[in-house]
Amino acid sequence: MNRTFATAAVAGLITVGLSSAVHADGAYHTERISLHAVEDAPLRSGSVINIHVNGPQIYAQERYQLNGAEPGRTYQVVLEVHQGDPDCAKPFTFPIETTSITTNGAGNGHARARFTPVDIGQLAGSGAHGVNWVLLDGATPVYETGCDDVFLD
C-alpha cells in the first residue's frame, strides 16, 4: 500500500515538473508544426519544433526534421516573417535564413537553430506575427509549414 502511494506521488511530481517545463513561456508555448511538400516532392513526415525560452542567453530554439524526403539533398531553412500580420494576409515582410538540413540516403535529416535576444532585436515584445517556415532547394521552395501565428513577448 505504501509502495503504491509512493509510486503515485513520484509519478505526479514528475508529471507536474514536465508540464511546467514545456510551458516555460507564458505567452507562446512550445509548438510542433508540420511541414508539407510544396508540390510533388517526396516526404513521409516533417516538422518544425518552435521553442521560446525568452532567456537572457537564448530567446528561442528551433528543431527541424525531415523523414522520407529526397535522399542526399541540402535544404536552406528560411522563415518568412509577416510582421504584425499573424494571419499572413499580406506578403511577408522579411525572410530570416536560419540553417540548412542535409538528408541522408533514406531522405532523413535534422537540424537546429538558436536565436539570442540580439537576433530577435526589435521584434521582441512586439506581439503576434505570422511565420511560414520554408525549406528551399536553391531558390525553389520544396517544403513549408504554411502560416503559423507566433507571439513574441
Side-chain angles (χ1 to χ4, degrees):
M1 178 82 164
N2 286 340
R3 178 181 259 171
T4 302
F5 178 75
T7 302
V10 169
L13 288 173
I14 290 171
T15 301
V16 169
L18 290 176
S19 66
S20 63
V22 170
H23 297 292
D25 183 335
Y28 182 85
H29 301 298
T30 298
E31 186 174 18
R32 179 184 297 266
I33 308 145
S34 295
L35 284 163
H36 307 283
V38 172
E39 291 194 14
D40 60 350
L43 184 65
R44 188 175 322 112
S45 65
S47 63
V48 173
I49 300 173
N50 191 15
I51 306 159
H52 287 205
V53 294
N54 294 0
Q57 303 294 322
I58 300 171
Y59 186 88
Q61 298 184 79
E62 293 182 348
R63 305 287 188 259
Y64 316 106
Q65 185 170 357
L66 293 172
N67 294 303
E70 185 73 33
R73 301 298 281 203
T74 298
Y75 302 99
Q76 176 65 49
V77 180
V78 176
L79 284 66
E80 295 177 339
V81 178
H82 299 255
Q83 190 171 4
D85 180 13
D87 298 320
C88 303
K90 300 173 187 164
F92 68 91
T93 313
F94 57 89
I96 299 174
E97 292 186 9
T98 64
T99 191
S100 61
I101 299 175
T102 300
T103 57
N104 63 16
N108 302 330
H110 65 277
R112 65 183 187 172
R114 181 173 288 163
F115 301 92
T116 67
V118 172
D119 295 332
I120 301 302
Q122 67 188 25
L123 287 176
S126 60
H129 308 283
V131 178
N132 179 32
W133 285 263
V134 181
L135 277 62
L136 301 171
D137 182 5
T140 305
V142 181
Y143 306 108
E144 68 177 351
T145 61
C147 185
D148 190 69
D149 61 326
V150 175
F151 189 83
L152 300 178
D153 58 343

